């Protein structure tokens, strides 16, 4: 394996590593989305059962009314953080200069011929640099996704804890 790597030009290796990193980050973004979809489905099922019995909970007394309000607030947090996890965001890094070769909106904003000729004419190191700009943007998006996913998970755990306390009382 080392012989294969050692004979390839350095710029080509850097481009290869950049594409692998870009692909890996894309897969991690999909993974975060799949996790939040699963959490959302499980929480939706549990909360549907609980909220379908809301009349009985409210009639059970003041303590259960408070728990019901707490469940509503925690459900709102779960929904908010779930949406923030799935919602696409763009990182506003004005200091990063892009050649507009990788991001789909940049590509779509150019005429086909202009994009194709620029892509073919640019040296590999400039294409790699543009790819690394996108890697930075994806990394920021991924960081935000996982922060929101963590908050959604804690909201879900809090909902389960409140339901458990309600069952004990």
């Amino acid at each position: 394996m080392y012989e294969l790597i050692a004979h390839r030009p350095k710029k080509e290796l850097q481009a290869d590593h950049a594409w692998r990193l870009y692909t890996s980050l894309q897969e991690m973004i999909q993974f975060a989305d799949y996790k939040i979809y699963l959490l959302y489905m499980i929480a939706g099922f549990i909360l549907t059962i609980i909220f379908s019995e809301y009349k009985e909970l409210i009639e059970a007394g003041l303590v259960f009314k408070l728990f019901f309000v707490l469940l509503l607030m925690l459900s709102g947090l779960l929904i908010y953080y779930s949406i923030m996890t799935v919602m696409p965001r763009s990182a506003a890094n004005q200091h990063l200069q892009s050649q507009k070769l990788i991001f789909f909106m940049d590509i779509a904003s150019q005429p086909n011929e202009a994009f194709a000729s620029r892509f073919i004419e640019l040296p590999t190191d400039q294409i790699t640099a543009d790819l690394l700009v996108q890697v930075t943007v994806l990394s920021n998006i991924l960081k935000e996704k996982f922060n929101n996913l963590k908050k959604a998970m804690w909201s879900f755990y809090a909902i389960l804890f409140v339901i458990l306390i309600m069952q004990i009382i």
Side-chain angles (χ1 to χ4, degrees):
M1 180 75 171
Y2 179 74
E3 296 87 30
L4 293 174
I5 293 174
H7 294 315
R8 292 177 66 192
K10 183 179 179 183
K11 299 284 184 199
E12 187 179 323
L13 285 173
Q14 287 174 332
D16 232 12
H17 291 304
W19 279 112
R20 286 189 185 132
L21 182 58
Y22 180 83
T23 303
S24 174
L25 290 172
Q26 288 283 14
E27 290 170 358
M28 289 176 70
I29 287 172
Q30 285 180 339
F31 178 69
D33 288 343
Y34 292 148
K35 283 179 89 171
I36 202 67
Y37 296 150
L38 181 63
L39 175 68
Y40 207 60
M41 286 183 354
I42 293 169
F45 178 73
I46 291 171
L47 290 172
T48 299
I49 292 171
I50 296 298
F51 290 145
S52 67
E53 306 295 326
Y54 79 94
K55 288 182 183 176
E56 290 84 13
L57 288 174
I58 291 175
E59 292 171 359
L62 180 63
V63 173
F64 283 99
K65 286 180 185 177
L66 292 174
F67 278 127
F68 187 73
V69 169
L70 184 59
L71 276 176
L72 282 175
M73 290 178 3
L74 290 170
S75 298
L77 282 175
L78 175 67
I79 291 168
Y80 173 77
Y81 288 120
S82 297
I83 290 171
M84 294 306 293
T85 300
V86 175
M87 205 170 74
R89 291 157 305 280
S90 63
N93 290 328
Q94 301 298 331
H95 64 280
L96 298 175
Q97 292 296 325
S98 173
Q99 296 287 334
K100 302 187 182 293
L101 298 174
I102 309 297
F103 182 56
F104 73 97
M105 292 295 284
D106 290 338
I107 295 169
S109 69
Q110 303 172 47
N112 294 343
E113 299 80 23
F115 168 74
S117 65
R118 279 191 67 230
F119 193 89
I120 291 170
E121 290 170 4
L122 281 176
T124 302
D125 60 333
Q126 287 184 7
I127 295 171
T128 302
D130 194 52
L131 179 61
L132 292 174
V133 168
Q134 292 305 313
V135 164
T136 303
V137 170
L138 286 180
S139 295
N140 289 329
I141 290 172
L142 193 57
K143 177 182 172 187
E144 189 176 333
K145 276 184 169 287
F146 273 101
N147 284 337
N148 287 320
L149 177 61
K150 182 171 58 172
K151 291 173 186 174
M153 292 292 293
W154 280 109
S155 299
F156 178 68
Y157 296 149
I159 288 170
L160 292 179
F161 181 73
V162 169
I163 292 171
L164 178 66
I165 296 297
M166 289 173 71
Q167 293 299 317
I168 292 173
I169 295 180

